[in-house]
Amino acid sequence: MLNQSPTEDGIYGLSSLGVQLCIRSRTGESERGSGTMFRHLQALRQISQRTISSSSRRSLPNKVAEKQKLFQEDNGLPVHLKAGISDLLLYRLTMGLTIFGSAYAVFEIVKASFPKKQN
């Protein structure tokens, strides 16, 4: 709800949004203004309340039992590779970046430990 009277510094409060709207004229006096900003804020408040309160829930199939069966079967694979080819690709990419990063760090340390010769 909009407070009908401004505070001593000319700020109108919007208590339901936790936002304060300040409209000042060029002379420095507090005024309500044309109200377009206020109307936009009211519309935003109504839309947000409708979105939160009346949103329908999607009914997604429950896949927990399938995932439990997949991860509990004994096929000799580590758990981080049991989901298939995508896990394998991510694992190899991560290992490659780790090895490259470690080698580059060692290279930079070795390069920094030997100063350049002055001409």
Side-chain angles (χ1 to χ4, degrees):
M1 289 289 204
L2 179 68
N3 295 338
Q4 294 299 323
S5 60
T7 58
E8 56 273 352
D9 57 351
I11 297 175
Y12 291 90
L14 293 175
S15 60
S16 64
L17 288 176
V19 176
Q20 291 186 341
L21 170 65
C22 179
I23 302 173
R24 295 180 184 268
S25 66
R26 290 185 184 195
T27 61
E29 297 175 5
S30 299
E31 62 183 39
R32 199 162 191 173
S34 64
T36 56
M37 184 183 278
F38 177 68
R39 277 185 263 134
H40 289 302
L41 285 174
Q42 271 188 329
L44 177 66
R45 190 185 104 236
Q46 287 176 350
I47 290 170
S48 67
Q49 284 178 346
R50 274 190 224 133
T51 304
I52 292 170
S53 64
S54 65
S55 61
S56 63
R57 300 194 75 165
R58 295 182 192 171
S59 61
L60 298 174
N62 189 0
K63 297 181 181 179
V64 174
E66 295 171 18
K67 294 291 184 183
Q68 284 177 340
K69 191 181 293 184
L70 173 73
F71 284 101
Q72 288 177 355
E73 75 181 33
D74 187 21
N75 56 3
L77 289 175
V79 72
H80 59 275
L81 296 177
K82 283 193 176 189
I85 190 76
S86 61
D87 278 351
L88 183 65
L89 291 174
L90 283 172
Y91 175 74
R92 289 195 178 162
L93 177 70
T94 303
M95 286 297 112
L97 287 173
T98 303
I99 291 169
F100 174 76
S102 299
Y104 187 70
V106 169
F107 169 74
E108 287 295 325
I109 289 172
V110 169
K111 188 171 89 171
S113 65
F114 295 109
K116 290 185 177 181
K117 294 181 181 178
Q118 298 289 331
N119 289 340

